[in-house]
Amino acid sequence: MKLLITGGVGFIGSNFVRYMLQNYPEYEVVNLDALTYAGNLENLKGLENNPNYTFVKADITDRATVETLFKKENFDTVVNFAAESHVDRSINNPDVFVSTNIMGTQVLLDTAKKYGIQKYVQVSTDEVYGSLGGDGSFTENTPIAPNSPYSASKASADLLVRSYYKTYNFPINITRCSNNYGPYQFPEKLIPLMLNNVRENRPIPIYGDGQNVRDWIYVEDHSRAVDRVLHDGIPGEIYNIGSNNEHSNLEMAKMLLNLMDAPESLITFVPDRKGHDFRYAIDASKIRNELGWEAEYSFETGLKETVNWYLNNLDWLNHVVSGDYRNYYKTYYSR
Ligand code: NAD
Ligand code: TDX
């Protein structure tokens, strides 16, 4: 199989690239990524000489380049991870979210349809469903009701993907996963941001009262789920992905501080995110029952491995937080 992975240099995409090369040594993988601030080639160190792996620096919104690549490579399948992925950035600058997440997806869909792709998987998010109250969980039938420019752009992309199935019978799947954590996550997201601040003995910023709840999944469990959908997902179907690990942000901060032997006094409450979704929780019974997927990581194991990974890879962290990251942090957290 010849597989195009877009956004494969980012946090989850790079995990999926490694996962596929390891588990399917007969597959050829082409990774197309624009190398934005979130795309760090150090995430894929060690793959440079793998004969089944090719990296192409390109933007999914660049139709001519995308088309040339499809013409040349004769792909069988496509998995689209490429996106602007950070909610806070989308609040300050929605334009690029519309461009990459919506228009980029349409370029990929058009091109994939034109070149007879056998399966197109759109990697989406539980955030398209909006926010839950104190109980219940999102199923694939929950109406979409996105609340941030990020989730609105992902929901729009999902609707386009769906329309290519309904209109052209183009074989798509959409996956909607909960909050990922694990190695190589950019430290703008909650867990690596806290980890980086703790190791520098700096306060950790918790939005509002810290009672907002997220449902956490270890990144490799997400990759295994996308693999199941790529191979056995029924065309046109949506699959939720999650592993029943709900924690408030405050609980999460305390767990991390405890694991790192740091004092709870580092927790600092800061002004809330605008339009902050209260709670996400995923019902993943469809992918479990229909495709036989199960999460393998307990939250305790996954979080310990993540903390150890960051502490053992300080070079990676130091490179990532140098330069632009410091400007972003300073501007955003001094609101
Ligand atoms: P990330 O920000 O770490 O990586 C995104 C990657 O996409 C980067 O390598 C970046 O260079 C690339 N990219 C951005 N714009 C591009 C463009 N125009 N053309 C080509 N490449 C481009 O994101 P992530 O956390 O790894 O998320 C990957 C996907 O999974 C996204 O689609 C996101 O919406 C989805 N998702 C993320 C989570 C999560 O918790 N992080 C949960 C559910 C779904
Ligand atoms: O400094 C912070 N303080 C804080 O309290 C940051 C960065 C976040 N938070 C809160 C906001 C959220 O309730 O922590 C929670 C998690 O925040 P993020 O890591 O920014 O993730 P979230 O907004 O939930 O979105 C993530 O999960 C779904 C990913 O970034 C998305 O790409 C994915 O679709």
Side-chain angles (χ1 to χ4, degrees):
M1 185 193 290
K2 196 160 199 178
L3 167 64
L4 172 66
I5 299 174
T6 63
V9 184
F11 162 49
I12 306 171
S14 63
N15 187 278
F16 187 70
V17 166
R18 282 185 195 282
Y19 172 92
M20 291 307 284
L21 289 168
Q22 234 161 45
N23 288 280
Y24 300 94
E26 71 284 14
Y27 285 11
E28 285 175 69
V29 171
V30 176
N31 177 7
L32 178 156
D33 195 295
L35 300 184
T36 68
Y37 78 92
N40 175 1
L41 284 173
E42 286 181 52
N43 297 358
L44 290 164
K45 226 173 177 170
L47 293 187
E48 300 82 1
N49 298 322
N50 186 321
N52 287 343
Y53 173 71
T54 311
F55 171 66
V56 179
K57 181 178 183 305
D59 193 311
I60 57 166
T61 64
D62 177 352
R63 189 176 284 272
T65 303
V66 169
E67 167 127 22
T68 306
L69 187 69
F70 272 76
K71 203 183 241 170
K72 176 173 161 233
E73 296 286 0
N74 220 359
F75 298 120
D76 301 298
T77 52
V78 175
V79 181
N80 179 26
F81 288 92
E84 287 294 331
S85 68
H86 192 40
V87 173
D88 293 325
R89 289 184 194 252
S90 83
I91 294 168
N92 291 341
N93 180 20
D95 287 21
V96 68
F97 286 74
V98 171
S99 166
T100 288
N101 299 0
I102 306 177
M103 291 158 78
T105 295
Q106 200 231 334
V107 167
L108 288 175
L109 283 168
D110 267 351
T111 319
K113 177 167 81 66
K114 181 167 172 186
Y115 287 90
I117 295 306
Q118 292 156 25
K119 172 61 74 72
Y120 174 100
V121 179
Q122 175 75 2
V123 179
S124 186
T125 168
D126 60 356
E127 297 199 17
V128 300
Y129 296 122
S131 182
L132 291 165
D135 50 24
S137 50
F138 300 129
T139 73
E140 290 80 357
N141 295 323
T142 304
I144 55 175
N147 293 318
S148 71
Y150 163 70
S151 53
S153 69
K154 293 294 288 186
S156 308
D158 286 9
L159 293 178
L160 275 172
V161 174
R162 175 182 192 271
S163 79
Y164 274 61
Y165 174 70
K166 295 285 181 186
T167 305
Y168 308 111
N169 205 23
F170 178 60
I172 61 92
N173 286 120
I174 296 170
T175 61
R176 292 180 177 154
C177 189
S178 62
N179 283 61
N180 285 221
Y181 69 98
Y184 298 106
Q185 186 169 30
F186 193 83
E188 64 189 351
K189 308 282 168 36
L190 181 64
I191 290 183
L193 183 141
M194 292 196 298
L195 239 149
N196 183 47
N197 285 15
V198 172
R199 67 127 182 173
E200 293 179 345
N201 201 26
R202 288 191 292 126
I204 57 178
I206 295 295
Y207 297 161
D209 59 7
Q211 294 310 310
N212 300 62
V213 172
R214 294 295 181 266
D215 185 357
W216 296 94
I217 183 171
Y218 193 65
V219 60
E220 201 171 304
D221 282 329
H222 186 185
S223 288
R224 285 190 309 100
V226 173
D227 168 14
R228 297 296 307 118
V229 172
L230 174 67
H231 288 99
D232 289 326
I234 296 170
E237 291 295 311
I238 297 168
Y239 296 93
N240 281 354
I241 303 167
S243 60
N244 297 325
N245 280 305
E246 285 184 58
H247 294 285
S248 74
N249 296 332
L250 193 55
E251 274 166 17
M252 174 62 95
K254 288 182 179 171
M255 275 188 272
L256 199 82
L257 288 165
N258 187 29
L259 269 177
M260 295 179 79
D261 282 328
E264 288 190 5
S265 56
L266 285 181
I267 294 172
T268 310
F269 294 97
V270 299
D272 210 352
R273 171 185 281 173
K274 290 190 176 82
H276 195 176
D277 286 337
F278 175 63
R279 175 171 163 263
Y280 304 142
I282 274 280
D283 177 343
S285 41
K286 178 172 171 180
I287 190 169
R288 278 203 305 273
N289 296 337
E290 295 182 13
L291 302 183
W293 171 86
E294 284 285 353
E296 287 180 359
Y297 279 80
S298 73
F299 188 60
E300 288 66 29
T301 311
L303 197 60
K304 253 186 225 151
E305 284 197 12
T306 303
V307 170
N308 289 339
W309 185 86
Y310 277 88
L311 296 179
N312 290 326
N313 288 275
L314 289 177
D315 278 355
W316 181 91
L317 193 55
N318 288 334
H319 289 174
V320 168
V321 299
S322 63
D324 273 359
Y325 178 77
R326 288 196 191 281
N327 296 334
Y328 164 78
Y329 194 93
K330 217 167 126 195
T331 312
Y332 187 74
Y333 287 91
S334 61
R335 289 168 304 155

CSV table of all heavy atoms in Angstrom, one decimal, residues 7 9-13 32-36 38-39 58-60 81-85 100 123-125 150 154 177-180 185 189 222, ligand 1:
chain,number,residue,atom,x,y,z
A,7,GLY,N,0.5,16.3,7.5
A,7,GLY,CA,0.7,16.8,8.9
A,7,GLY,C,1.4,15.8,9.7
A,7,GLY,O,1.4,15.8,11.0
A,9,VAL,N,4.4,15.6,10.5
A,9,VAL,CA,5.6,16.0,11.3
A,9,VAL,C,5.1,16.5,12.7
A,9,VAL,O,5.9,16.7,13.6
A,9,VAL,CB,6.4,17.1,10.6
A,9,VAL,CG1,7.6,17.5,11.4
A,9,VAL,CG2,6.8,16.6,9.2
A,10,GLY,N,3.8,16.7,12.9
A,10,GLY,CA,3.3,17.2,14.1
A,10,GLY,C,3.3,16.2,15.2
A,10,GLY,O,3.8,15.0,15.0
A,11,PHE,N,2.6,16.5,16.3
A,11,PHE,CA,2.6,15.6,17.5
A,11,PHE,C,2.0,14.2,17.1
A,11,PHE,O,2.6,13.2,17.2
A,11,PHE,CB,1.8,16.3,18.6
A,11,PHE,CG,1.3,15.5,19.7
A,11,PHE,CD1,2.1,14.6,20.4
A,11,PHE,CD2,0.0,15.6,20.1
A,11,PHE,CE1,1.6,13.8,21.4
A,11,PHE,CE2,-0.5,14.9,21.2
A,11,PHE,CZ,0.3,14.0,21.8
A,12,ILE,N,0.7,14.2,16.7
A,12,ILE,CA,0.0,12.9,16.5
A,12,ILE,C,0.4,12.3,15.2
A,12,ILE,O,0.7,11.1,15.1
A,12,ILE,CB,-1.5,13.1,16.5
A,12,ILE,CG1,-2.0,13.8,17.8
A,12,ILE,CG2,-2.2,11.8,16.4
A,12,ILE,CD1,-3.4,14.2,17.8
A,13,GLY,N,0.6,13.2,14.1
A,13,GLY,CA,1.0,12.7,12.8
A,13,GLY,C,2.3,11.9,12.9
A,13,GLY,O,2.5,10.9,12.2
A,32,LEU,N,3.5,14.5,3.9
A,32,LEU,CA,3.5,15.9,3.4
A,32,LEU,C,3.2,16.8,4.5
A,32,LEU,O,2.2,16.7,5.2
A,32,LEU,CB,2.4,16.0,2.3
A,32,LEU,CG,2.2,17.4,1.7
A,32,LEU,CD1,1.5,17.2,0.3
A,32,LEU,CD2,1.3,18.3,2.5
A,33,ASP,N,4.1,17.8,4.7
A,33,ASP,CA,3.9,18.7,5.9
A,33,ASP,C,4.5,20.1,5.5
A,33,ASP,O,5.5,20.2,4.9
A,33,ASP,CB,4.5,18.1,7.1
A,33,ASP,CG,4.1,18.8,8.4
A,33,ASP,OD1,4.4,20.0,8.6
A,33,ASP,OD2,3.5,18.1,9.3
A,34,ALA,N,3.8,21.1,5.9
A,34,ALA,CA,4.3,22.5,5.6
A,34,ALA,C,5.3,23.0,6.6
A,34,ALA,O,5.9,24.1,6.4
A,34,ALA,CB,3.1,23.5,5.6
A,35,LEU,N,5.6,22.2,7.6
A,35,LEU,CA,6.6,22.6,8.7
A,35,LEU,C,6.2,24.0,9.2
A,35,LEU,O,7.0,25.0,9.2
A,35,LEU,CB,8.0,22.6,8.2
A,35,LEU,CG,8.5,21.2,7.7
A,35,LEU,CD1,10.0,21.3,7.3
A,35,LEU,CD2,8.3,20.2,8.7
A,36,THR,N,5.0,24.2,9.8
A,36,THR,CA,4.7,25.4,10.5
A,36,THR,C,5.4,25.4,11.8
A,36,THR,O,6.2,24.4,12.1
A,36,THR,CB,3.2,25.4,10.8
A,36,THR,OG1,2.8,24.4,11.7
A,36,THR,CG2,2.3,25.2,9.5
A,38,ALA,N,4.5,24.2,14.4
A,38,ALA,CA,4.2,23.0,15.1
A,38,ALA,C,4.9,21.8,14.5
A,38,ALA,O,4.9,20.7,15.0
A,38,ALA,CB,2.7,22.7,15.1
A,39,GLY,N,5.4,22.0,13.3
A,39,GLY,CA,6.0,20.8,12.6
A,39,GLY,C,7.5,20.8,12.8
A,39,GLY,O,8.3,21.7,12.2
A,58,ALA,N,5.4,20.7,1.9
A,58,ALA,CA,4.4,21.3,1.0
A,58,ALA,C,3.2,21.7,1.9
A,58,ALA,O,3.0,21.2,3.0
A,58,ALA,CB,4.0,20.4,-0.1
A,59,ASP,N,2.4,22.6,1.3
A,59,ASP,CA,1.2,23.1,2.0
A,59,ASP,C,0.0,22.5,1.4
A,59,ASP,O,-0.2,22.5,0.2
A,59,ASP,CB,1.2,24.7,1.8
A,59,ASP,CG,0.2,25.3,2.7
A,59,ASP,OD1,-0.9,24.9,2.8
A,59,ASP,OD2,0.6,26.3,3.4
A,60,ILE,N,-0.9,22.0,2.3
A,60,ILE,CA,-2.1,21.3,1.7
A,60,ILE,C,-3.0,22.3,0.9
A,60,ILE,O,-3.9,21.9,0.2
A,60,ILE,CB,-2.9,20.5,2.7
A,60,ILE,CG1,-3.4,21.4,3.9
A,60,ILE,CG2,-2.2,19.3,3.2
A,60,ILE,CD1,-4.5,20.7,4.8
A,81,PHE,N,-3.9,14.5,8.8
A,81,PHE,CA,-3.7,15.1,10.1
A,81,PHE,C,-3.4,16.6,10.0
A,81,PHE,O,-3.4,17.3,11.1
A,81,PHE,CB,-2.5,14.5,10.8
A,81,PHE,CG,-2.7,13.1,11.3
A,81,PHE,CD1,-2.3,12.0,10.4
A,81,PHE,CD2,-3.1,12.8,12.5
A,81,PHE,CE1,-2.4,10.7,10.9
A,81,PHE,CE2,-3.3,11.5,13.0
A,81,PHE,CZ,-2.9,10.4,12.1
A,82,ALA,N,-3.0,17.1,8.8
A,82,ALA,CA,-2.6,18.5,8.7
A,82,ALA,C,-3.6,19.5,9.2
A,82,ALA,O,-4.8,19.4,8.7
A,82,ALA,CB,-2.2,18.8,7.3
A,83,ALA,N,-3.2,20.3,10.2
A,83,ALA,CA,-4.2,21.3,10.7
A,83,ALA,C,-3.5,22.3,11.5
A,83,ALA,O,-2.4,22.1,12.0
A,83,ALA,CB,-5.3,20.6,11.5
A,84,GLU,N,-4.1,23.5,11.7
A,84,GLU,CA,-3.8,24.3,12.8
A,84,GLU,C,-4.6,23.7,14.0
A,84,GLU,O,-5.8,23.5,13.8
A,84,GLU,CB,-4.3,25.8,12.5
A,84,GLU,CG,-3.4,26.5,11.5
A,84,GLU,CD,-2.0,26.7,12.0
A,84,GLU,OE1,-1.8,26.9,13.2
A,84,GLU,OE2,-1.0,26.8,11.2
A,85,SER,N,-3.9,23.5,15.1
A,85,SER,CA,-4.6,22.7,16.1
A,85,SER,C,-4.8,23.3,17.5
A,85,SER,O,-5.3,22.7,18.4
A,85,SER,CB,-3.7,21.4,16.3
A,85,SER,OG,-2.5,21.7,16.9
A,100,THR,N,-6.1,26.6,6.3
A,100,THR,CA,-5.6,25.2,6.4
A,100,THR,C,-6.7,24.1,6.6
A,100,THR,O,-6.8,23.2,5.9
A,100,THR,CB,-4.5,25.1,7.5
A,100,THR,OG1,-3.4,25.8,7.0
A,100,THR,CG2,-4.1,23.7,7.7
A,123,VAL,N,-8.8,13.2,10.1
A,123,VAL,CA,-8.6,13.1,11.5
A,123,VAL,C,-9.3,14.4,12.1
A,123,VAL,O,-8.8,15.5,12.0
A,123,VAL,CB,-7.1,13.0,11.8
A,123,VAL,CG1,-6.9,13.0,13.3
A,123,VAL,CG2,-6.5,11.8,11.2
A,124,SER,N,-10.4,14.2,12.8
A,124,SER,CA,-11.1,15.3,13.4
A,124,SER,C,-11.0,15.2,14.9
A,124,SER,O,-10.2,14.5,15.4
A,124,SER,CB,-12.5,15.3,12.8
A,124,SER,OG,-13.2,16.5,13.3
A,125,THR,N,-11.9,15.9,15.5
A,125,THR,CA,-11.8,16.0,17.0
A,125,THR,C,-13.2,16.0,17.7
A,125,THR,O,-14.2,16.4,17.1
A,125,THR,CB,-11.1,17.4,17.3
A,125,THR,OG1,-11.2,17.7,18.7
A,125,THR,CG2,-11.7,18.5,16.5
A,150,TYR,N,-11.3,27.3,16.0
A,150,TYR,CA,-10.6,26.0,15.7
A,150,TYR,C,-11.7,24.9,15.5
A,150,TYR,O,-11.7,24.3,14.4
A,150,TYR,CB,-9.7,25.6,16.9
A,150,TYR,CG,-9.3,24.1,16.8
A,150,TYR,CD1,-8.5,23.6,15.8
A,150,TYR,CD2,-9.8,23.2,17.7
A,150,TYR,CE1,-8.2,22.3,15.8
A,150,TYR,CE2,-9.5,21.9,17.7
A,150,TYR,CZ,-8.7,21.4,16.7
A,150,TYR,OH,-8.4,20.1,16.6
A,154,LYS,N,-12.8,22.8,12.1
A,154,LYS,CA,-12.7,21.3,12.0
A,154,LYS,C,-14.1,20.8,11.6
A,154,LYS,O,-14.2,19.8,10.8
A,154,LYS,CB,-12.2,20.7,13.3
A,154,LYS,CG,-10.8,21.0,13.7
A,154,LYS,CD,-9.8,20.4,12.7
A,154,LYS,CE,-9.6,18.9,12.8
A,154,LYS,NZ,-8.5,18.3,12.0
A,177,CYS,N,-11.5,12.2,17.9
A,177,CYS,CA,-10.8,11.8,19.1
A,177,CYS,C,-10.8,12.8,20.2
A,177,CYS,O,-10.9,14.0,19.9
A,177,CYS,CB,-9.3,11.4,18.7
A,177,CYS,SG,-8.4,10.6,20.0
A,178,SER,N,-10.6,12.4,21.4
A,178,SER,CA,-10.5,13.3,22.5
A,178,SER,C,-9.1,13.8,22.7
A,178,SER,O,-8.3,13.6,21.9
A,178,SER,CB,-11.0,12.5,23.8
A,178,SER,OG,-10.1,11.5,24.0
A,179,ASN,N,-8.8,14.5,23.8
A,179,ASN,CA,-7.5,15.2,24.0
A,179,ASN,C,-6.4,14.1,24.1
A,179,ASN,O,-6.4,13.2,24.9
A,179,ASN,CB,-7.5,15.9,25.4
A,179,ASN,CG,-8.3,17.2,25.3
A,179,ASN,OD1,-9.5,17.2,25.0
A,179,ASN,ND2,-7.6,18.3,25.5
A,180,ASN,N,-5.4,14.3,23.2
A,180,ASN,CA,-4.2,13.4,23.2
A,180,ASN,C,-3.1,14.0,24.2
A,180,ASN,O,-3.0,15.2,24.3
A,180,ASN,CB,-3.6,13.4,21.8
A,180,ASN,CG,-4.4,12.5,20.9
A,180,ASN,OD1,-3.9,11.8,20.1
A,180,ASN,ND2,-5.7,12.6,20.9
A,185,GLN,N,4.6,16.4,22.1
A,185,GLN,CA,3.5,17.3,22.0
A,185,GLN,C,4.0,18.7,22.2
A,185,GLN,O,4.8,19.0,23.2
A,185,GLN,CB,2.3,17.0,23.0
A,185,GLN,CG,1.1,17.9,22.8
A,185,GLN,CD,-0.1,17.5,23.6
A,185,GLN,OE1,0.0,16.9,24.6
A,185,GLN,NE2,-1.3,17.7,23.1
A,189,LYS,N,0.1,23.2,24.5
A,189,LYS,CA,-1.0,22.4,25.0
A,189,LYS,C,-0.8,22.1,26.5
A,189,LYS,O,0.3,22.1,27.0
A,189,LYS,CB,-1.1,21.1,24.2
A,189,LYS,CG,-1.2,21.2,22.7
A,189,LYS,CD,-2.5,21.7,22.2
A,189,LYS,CE,-2.6,22.2,20.7
A,189,LYS,NZ,-1.8,21.6,19.7
A,222,HIS,N,-4.5,6.5,20.0
A,222,HIS,CA,-5.1,7.2,18.9
A,222,HIS,C,-4.6,6.6,17.6
A,222,HIS,O,-5.4,6.3,16.6
A,222,HIS,CB,-4.9,8.7,19.0
A,222,HIS,CG,-5.6,9.5,18.0
A,222,HIS,ND1,-5.4,10.9,17.9
A,222,HIS,CD2,-6.5,9.2,17.1
A,222,HIS,CE1,-6.2,11.4,17.0
A,222,HIS,NE2,-6.9,10.4,16.4
B,1,NAD,P1,0.1,19.7,15.6
B,1,NAD,O1,-0.2,21.1,15.6
B,1,NAD,O2,1.1,19.1,16.6
B,1,NAD,O3,0.6,19.3,14.1
B,1,NAD,C1,0.0,19.8,13.0
B,1,NAD,C2,0.9,19.5,11.8
B,1,NAD,O4,0.3,19.9,10.6
B,1,NAD,C3,2.3,20.2,11.9
B,1,NAD,O5,3.3,19.3,11.6
B,1,NAD,C4,2.2,21.3,10.9
B,1,NAD,O6,3.4,21.7,10.3
B,1,NAD,C5,1.2,20.7,9.8
B,1,NAD,N1,0.5,21.7,9.0
B,1,NAD,C6,-0.2,22.8,9.5
B,1,NAD,N2,-0.7,23.5,8.5
B,1,NAD,C7,-0.4,22.8,7.4
B,1,NAD,C8,-0.6,23.0,6.0
B,1,NAD,N3,-1.3,24.1,5.6
B,1,NAD,N4,-0.1,22.1,5.1
B,1,NAD,C9,0.6,21.1,5.5
B,1,NAD,N5,0.8,20.8,6.8
B,1,NAD,C10,0.4,21.7,7.7
B,1,NAD,O7,-1.3,19.0,15.7
B,1,NAD,P2,-1.7,17.6,16.4
B,1,NAD,O8,-2.0,17.8,17.8
B,1,NAD,O9,-0.7,16.5,16.1
B,1,NAD,O10,-3.1,17.3,15.7
B,1,NAD,C11,-3.1,16.5,14.5
B,1,NAD,C12,-4.5,16.4,14.0
B,1,NAD,O11,-5.3,15.7,15.0
B,1,NAD,C13,-5.2,17.7,13.7
B,1,NAD,O12,-6.0,17.6,12.6
B,1,NAD,C14,-6.1,18.0,15.0
B,1,NAD,O13,-7.2,18.7,14.7
B,1,NAD,C15,-6.4,16.5,15.3
B,1,NAD,N6,-6.7,16.2,16.7
B,1,NAD,C16,-5.8,16.6,17.7
B,1,NAD,C17,-6.1,16.3,19.0
B,1,NAD,C18,-5.1,16.7,20.2
B,1,NAD,O14,-5.4,16.5,21.3
B,1,NAD,N7,-3.9,17.2,19.9
B,1,NAD,C19,-7.2,15.6,19.4
B,1,NAD,C20,-8.1,15.2,18.4
B,1,NAD,C21,-7.9,15.5,17.1
